[in-house]
C-alpha cells in the first residue's frame, strides 16, 4: 500500500509538470505583397484605373510599419521586434529583401486571432535622426513640415484631365495646420497641438505658404483579424497585403485631378489617405 | 637480447626527440608577423550614417592613407616622368575646388577634362566628397557598385585602376606605373608600412589611393553648425532652407537631402527632366537595362556645390543660377521623367527672383572651408623621394 501511494504520487506529479510548464514555441514570417485589383503590382505600367476614374501607374512604394503585434486568441499581444529590438520595419518595392519580415523571434505556439500594427510612427516614435543610415534615412520628413519620417512614399503618374501623364507623390506623414486669416480675423491662433521648432522661429514664409501653426500626427492603427496558428518549432508563414487601389477608395474617393502631384503640405488630401488606410491591408495565411 | 632491447629503446627515444625537435623547429621557422598598420579611426559626424562602404580587404589604416595621399598627388602616377606627361588624381580633383577641376582650370577650359591622349571624358568630373558613405554606386550612372558581377567594377579601387589606364584620363600602363614607383626612393618603405611588403603591386597602389579618398569628409559647413545648434542662419538662408525642403517650395530634398540626410544626396539616380531624347550610351539605363532609367543620372551631393561647376552630367550649365533657373522654368516632360519631378507640367517649381536668391543663399551654407583647406587632404610638400 505505501508503495502504491508513492508510485501514484510520482505519476500525478509528472503529469502536472507536463501540463503546466512545458511551453512550446514557434516563429512567424511575414511576406509583404502589393496588389492592385487583386493582381500583383506591375510597376511603371500605366494600366490601372482608380475609383475616381484616373488612369495611373505606380513606380515605387516605400513605407514603415511599427509596433507590430501578434494577437493571441486570449487577447495577449506579442510584439514583433527587429534585430535592434525595435518594432520598426521598412518596406521598399525596390529592395526585395525588405519584403520579408522574419526576425527569428520565438512566440508561444498556439492559436492567434490576428495582427495589429501602426502605419507609420506614433508621435513618440517619430523622432528626427532616429535613422541615420539609408534607405530609412532617405525617408526623413522635413523639419519645417513636422519632422520625423515619411510614413509612406507612393510614387507614380496618372493621366490628368488634359490627357497628359503627370507625376504624383502620394506621401503620408505629419500634417500641418497653416495660419488662416479668414478663420481668425487676423489673430494668430494655436491648435493646441503645436510642436514649436526653434530652428525655424525666424522664418518668413514665401508668399504662397502661410505660417505653420501646428502639426497633426497622421499615423493610424491597423487591426487585421485573421486567425492563424503557430506550430511548435515551426515557422508560420503569413502574407501581409497592401491593396493599393484602396488608398483611393476604401472610405472616400481620392482624385489625383483634385489634389495634384504633391500632398505633403495638403492635410485635407492626407486625411483621405488616413481614413482609407485601415482598409488597405489584409492578412492571409502564407503559401 | 637485453642489449638489443636497450639499443631499440635508445633508437626510439632518439627518434622521438628528433620529432619533437622538428616540430619545435617548424614553429620557429614560421615567418615573423608582418608589420601591423595602425587602424585609421574615421570620426562619424553629427547625424551622418554609421554604415561605411569600406571593402573588407582594404580597411583604413594610418599608413595606407598617408601613402594614398602621396600617390593621389604624385604626377608620376601616369607612369611617366616628363613634365608634360605628368598626371595624377589631383590633376582633375583639386581640393580648393571641392576635388573637382573647377570652371577656371588653367588647362581644362570650363572644367571639361581631357586625358593624356587628348580625349575628353564622357561626363564631367564628380566631386570626391563623403564617398565613404556612398553604397549606391559610383559615377554618374553608378556603374561601379558593390555586388557587380564584374569584380573589376565595384569599388573606388577599381575606379583608380580605370583612371590610370583610360585614354581620357592618365592613359597609362599599370605594370609600368608600379615599376616606376618601385624605383622611387621612399615609396617601397611606405608600401611595407601600409601593406607588409615593399614589393609594390598596382593593386596596393589602388588600395592606398582609395583609402585616402575615403577619408575626404565634409561635415563642417555653416549648415552643419546650424544643425548642431552652433550658428544661426540669416533670414534669406532660412527662407532658402524652407524652400529647399518643401514640396510647394523648391522641392530639392527628396533627392538632395536636408535635416534628416546631411549628405545632401541620396546617391540615387533620377531623370530630372533635362531632355526629351535620350541617346547617351552611359546613362543609368546602360547599367540597369530598365527603359524607364533612360536619361537618369546620379543626384550629386550639394556640399560645396558652388565650386562644382560645370553642372549636370554633361556640364551644360556653367553657373548655379542657371541650374536654379532650369529647375524653376525649364524642366521637360518625358515618359522617363522621375515621379519626384511633380512640377514638370508647369516647367518647374516656378520660383520668384527673391525665392531663387534665397535658395542660392541656403545652398551657399553648404560651403565647407574647413574641408577645402584641410591640411590632411592637401598636396604634400615633398614626395617620399624628396621630389
Amino acid at each position: 500500500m505505501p508503495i502504491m501511494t508513492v508510485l501514484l504520487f510520482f505519476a500525478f506529479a509528472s503529469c502536472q509538470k507536463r501540463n503546466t510548464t512545458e511551453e512550446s514555441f514557434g516563429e512567424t514570417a511575414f511576406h509583404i505583397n502589393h496588389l492592385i485589383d487583386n493582381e500583383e503590382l506591375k510597376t511603371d505600367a500605366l494600366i490601372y484605373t482608380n475609383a475616381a476614374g484616373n488612369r495611373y501607374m505606380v513606380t515605387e512604394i516605400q513605407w514603415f510599419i511599427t509596433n507590430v503585434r501578434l494577437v493571441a486568441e486570449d487577447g495577449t499581444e506579442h510584439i514583433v521586434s527587429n534585430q535592434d529590438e525595435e518594432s520598426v520595419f521598412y518596406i521598399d518595392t525596390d529592395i526585395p529583401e525588405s519584403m520579408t519580415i522574419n526576425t527569428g523571434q520565438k512566440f508561444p505556439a498556439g492559436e492567434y486571432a490576428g495582427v495589429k500594427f501602426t502605419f507609420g510612427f506614433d508621435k513618440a516614435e517619430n523622432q528626427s535622426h532616429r535613422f541615420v543610415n539609408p534607405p530609412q534615412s532617405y525617408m526623413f520628413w522635413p523639419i519645417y513640415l513636422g519632422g520625423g519620417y515619411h510614413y509612406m512614399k507612393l510614387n507614380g503618374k496618372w493621366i490628368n484631365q488634359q490627357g497628359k501623364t503627370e507625376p504624383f507623390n502620394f506621401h503620408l506623414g505629419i500634417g500641418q495646420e497653416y495660419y488662416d486669416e479668414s478663420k481668425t480675423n487676423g489673430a494668430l491662433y494655436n491648435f493646441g497641438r503645436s510642436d514649436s521648432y526653434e530652428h525655424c522661429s525666424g522664418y518668413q514664409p514665401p508668399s504662397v505658404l502661410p505660417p505653420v501653426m501646428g502639426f497633426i500626427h497622421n499615423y493610424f492603427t491597423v487591426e487585421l483579424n485573421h486567425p492563424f496558428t503557430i506550430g511548435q518549432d515551426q515557422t508560420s508563414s503569413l502574407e501581409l497585403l497592401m491593396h493599393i487601389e484602396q488608398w483611393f477608395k476604401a472610405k472616400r474617393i481620392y482624385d489625383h485631378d483634385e489634389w495634384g502631384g504633391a500632398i505633403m503640405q495638403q492635410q485635407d488630401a492626407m486625411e483621405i489617405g488616413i481614413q482609407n488606410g485601415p482598409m488597405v491591408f489584409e492578412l492571409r495565411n502564407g503559401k | 637480447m637485453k642489449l638489443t632491447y636497450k639499443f631499440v629503446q635508445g633508437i626510439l627515444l632518439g627518434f622521438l626527440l628528433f620529432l619533437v625537435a622538428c616540430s619545435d623547429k617548424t614553429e620557429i621557422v614560421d615567418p615573423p608577423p608582418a608589420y601591423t598598420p595602425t587602424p585609421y579611426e574615421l570620426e562619424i559626424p553629427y547625424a551622418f550614417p554609421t554604415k561605411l562602404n569600406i571593402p573588407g580587404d582594404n580597411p583604413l589604416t594610418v599608413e595606407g592613407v598617408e601613402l594614398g595621399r602621396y600617390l593621389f598627388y604624385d604626377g608620376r602616377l601616369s607612369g611617366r616622368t616628363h613634365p608634360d606627361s605628368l598626371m595624377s588624381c589631383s590633376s582633375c580633383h583639386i581640393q580648393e575646388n571641392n576635388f573637382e577641376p573647377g570652371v577656371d582650370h588653367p588647362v581644362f577650359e570650363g572644367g571639361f577634362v581631357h586625358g593624356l591622349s587628348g580625349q575628353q571624358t564622357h561626363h564631367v568630373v564628380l566631386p570626391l566628397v563623403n564617398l565613404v558613405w556612398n553604397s549606391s554606386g559610383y559615377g554618374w550612372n553608378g556603374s561601379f557598385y558593390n555586388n557587380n558581377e564584374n569584380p573589376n567594377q565595384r569599388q573606388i579601387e577599381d575606379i583608380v585602376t580605370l583612371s590610370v589606364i583610360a585614354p581620357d584620363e592618365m592613359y597609362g600602363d599599370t605594370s609600368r606605373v608600379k615599376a616606376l614607383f618601385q624605383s622611387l626612393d621612399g615609396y617601397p618603405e611606405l608600401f611595407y608600412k601600409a601593406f607588409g611588403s615593399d614589393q609594390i603591386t598596382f593593386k596596393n597602389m589602388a588600395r592606398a589611393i582609395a583609402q585616402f579618398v575615403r577619408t575626404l569628409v565634409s561635415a563642417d559647413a555653416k549648415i552643419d553648425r546650424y544643425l548642431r545648434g552652433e550658428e544661426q542662419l540669416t533670414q534669406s538662408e532660412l527662407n532658402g532652407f524652407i524652400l529647399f525642403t518643401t514640396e510647394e517650395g523648391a522641392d530639392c530634398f527628396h533627392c538632395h537631402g536636408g535635416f534628416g540626410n546631411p549628405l545632401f544626396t541620396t546617391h540615387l539616380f533620377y531623370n530630372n527632366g533635362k531632355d526629351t531624347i535620350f541617346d547617351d550610351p552611359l546613362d543609368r539605363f546602360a547599367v540597369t537595362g530598365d527603359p524607364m532609367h533612360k536619361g537618369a543620372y546620379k543626384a550629386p551631393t550639394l556640399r560645396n556645390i558652388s565650386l562644382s561647376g560645370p553642372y549636370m552630367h554633361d556640364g551644360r550649365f556653367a553657373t548655379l543660377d542657371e541650374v536654379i533657373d532650369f529647375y524653376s522654368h525649364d524642366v521637360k516632360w518625358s515618359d522617363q521623367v522621375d515621379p519626384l519631378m511633380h512640377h514638370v507640367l508647369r516647367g518647374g517649381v516656378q520660383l520668384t527672383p527673391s525665392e531663387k536668391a534665397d535658395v542660392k543663399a541656403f545652398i551657399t551654407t553648404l560651403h565647407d572651408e574647413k574641408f577645402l583647406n584641410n591640411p590632411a587632404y592637401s598636396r604634400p610638400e615633398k614626395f617620399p623621394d624628396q621630389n
Side-chain angles (χ1 to χ4, degrees), chain A residues 59 128-129 132-133 138 140 142 144 150 157 160 165-167 169 171 199 202-204 206 262-265, chain B residues 46 48-51 226 235 238-239 242 245-248 253-254 258-259 266 333 335 337 339 341-342 345 355:
Chain A
T59 298
S128 294
H129 290 157
V132 292
N133 290 308
Y138 297 163
F140 83 92
Y144 181 70
H150 287 70
K157 295 174 184 172
N160 68 15
T165 309
E166 185 167 349
N169 302 161
H171 292 190
H199 283 315
Y203 170 66
Q204 288 177 349
I263 62 169
M264 290 175 71
Q265 292 167 257
Chain B
Y46 174 71
F48 270 53
T50 54
K51 289 183 184 169
Y226 168 68
Q235 189 64 63
L238 270 172
N239 289 351
I242 305 305
T245 55
T246 50
E247 285 187 321
E248 302 303 325
F253 68 100
H254 280 116
F259 183 72
T266 56
W333 183 91
D335 281 337
V337 74
M341 304 299 292
H342 58 86
L345 290 184
E355 288 170 347

Side-chain angles (χ1 to χ4, degrees), chain A residues 60 155 167 169 171, chain B residues 251 254-255 270 338-343:
Chain A
E60 63 205 343
N155 295 330
N169 302 161
H171 292 190
Chain B
D251 196 11
H254 280 116
C255 308
Y270 309 90
D338 195 280
L340 292 171
M341 304 299 292
H342 58 86
H343 297 276

Side-chain angles (χ1 to χ4, degrees), chain B residues 182-201:
Chain B
Q182 188 74 55
S183 72
L184 299 175
D185 285 346
Y187 271 109
E189 288 83 349
L190 290 181
F191 272 89
Y192 179 79
K193 286 181 178 176
F195 299 109
S197 171
D198 57 8
Q199 286 304 302
I200 296 176
T201 64

Side-chain angles (χ1 to χ4, degrees), chain B residues 47-105:
Chain B
F48 270 53
T50 54
K51 289 183 184 169
L52 308 174
N53 188 6
I54 298 175
D57 65 352
N58 192 24
L60 297 187
T61 65
V62 171
E63 293 80 2
V65 171
E66 181 193 10
L67 172 60
R69 180 177 163 219
Y70 283 124
L71 295 171
F72 183 92
Y73 281 100
D74 196 326
R76 294 169 291 190
L77 193 63
S78 67
R80 304 168 181 94
T81 53
H82 189 280
D84 289 343
S85 301
L86 298 176
M87 194 174 200
S88 70
C89 312
S90 66
S91 302
C92 305
H93 297 283
I94 299 167
Q95 183 183 10
E96 55 266 35
N97 288 332
N98 199 28
F99 286 97
E100 290 201 55
V103 289
D104 56 352
H105 194 282

